[in-house]
Amino acid sequence: RNYYKKSKAKYGNKKIFRDGEWFDSVHEYKRYRELLLLQRAKKISDLRRQVPFELIPAQYELIPTGEFFVRGERKGQEKYKRVCVEQSVVYNADFVYTMDGKTVVEDTKSEATRTKDYIIKRKLMLYVKGIRISEV
């Protein structure tokens, strides 16, 4: 059976299906197996995958709908709808776990995946959340 996705991934890596889950690369899967062993040996705890961190919230504006309220306290006032004008910026950590009482945020990286977008998000994680990403 073929456990690799047929379509090419963004950075030339092969997505892999193991242990009932999809992983973005063989490197990420191998690191996951190492972390599972560390968790079984009680060196780390609370291992989680693909944990989202919102760095910048979505931005919204109130846009007039052209309609007006016809009854109630707001009768005659224009109606507005809330519209998202900028989506939130989210960093998804490959792994988050606890080691020696401290939370560790880890990302499996290759040169190809160390993009400008990633570097900006890494800097925002430190600036906004006070979390330094550990790259493996």
Side-chain angles (χ1 to χ4, degrees):
R1 296 189 323 198
N2 187 355
Y3 289 103
Y4 293 99
K5 278 201 173 184
K6 291 190 190 266
S7 62
K8 228 170 190 204
K10 195 173 184 178
Y11 300 104
N13 56 311
K14 290 183 180 176
K15 290 192 180 253
I16 181 173
F17 187 77
R18 292 285 191 274
D19 302 334
E21 299 180 71
W22 282 104
F23 293 85
D24 288 335
S25 66
V26 174
H27 177 56
E28 183 181 316
Y29 172 69
K30 286 180 179 178
R31 181 59 183 159
Y32 177 65
R33 299 294 298 166
E34 291 171 5
L35 291 171
L36 282 177
L37 288 173
L38 289 171
Q39 184 166 259
R40 282 190 205 118
K42 307 238 189 267
K43 303 271 187 204
I44 67 169
S45 62
D46 193 29
L47 175 61
R48 294 173 286 151
R49 292 189 59 234
Q50 299 301 318
V51 179
F53 290 88
E54 185 178 63
L55 301 172
I56 303 172
Q59 307 296 307
Y60 295 90
E61 286 182 3
L62 292 175
I63 307 293
T65 64
E67 298 178 16
F68 294 87
F69 289 96
V70 291
R71 60 176 82 93
E73 290 179 21
R74 296 175 64 188
K75 183 178 180 179
Q77 291 181 11
E78 192 166 15
K79 290 184 179 181
Y80 290 86
K81 68 178 178 179
R82 192 170 179 240
V83 176
C84 181
V85 292
E86 291 290 341
Q87 293 182 347
S88 64
V89 175
V90 176
Y91 165 70
N92 286 304
D94 288 340
F95 307 106
V96 175
Y97 54 89
T98 303
M99 185 167 75
D100 299 328
K102 295 179 183 171
T103 300
V104 178
V105 176
E106 189 174 287
D107 208 313
T108 52
K109 281 284 151 222
S110 68
E111 277 307 310
T113 60
R114 199 170 279 112
T115 63
K116 288 181 182 179
D117 284 349
Y118 165 74
I119 291 169
I120 290 169
K121 287 180 180 182
R122 183 185 69 198
K123 290 177 180 186
L124 282 170
M125 277 289 284
L126 186 57
Y127 184 75
V128 174
K129 301 286 186 186
I131 298 171
R132 186 178 300 276
I133 297 170
S134 173
E135 295 178 6
V136 179

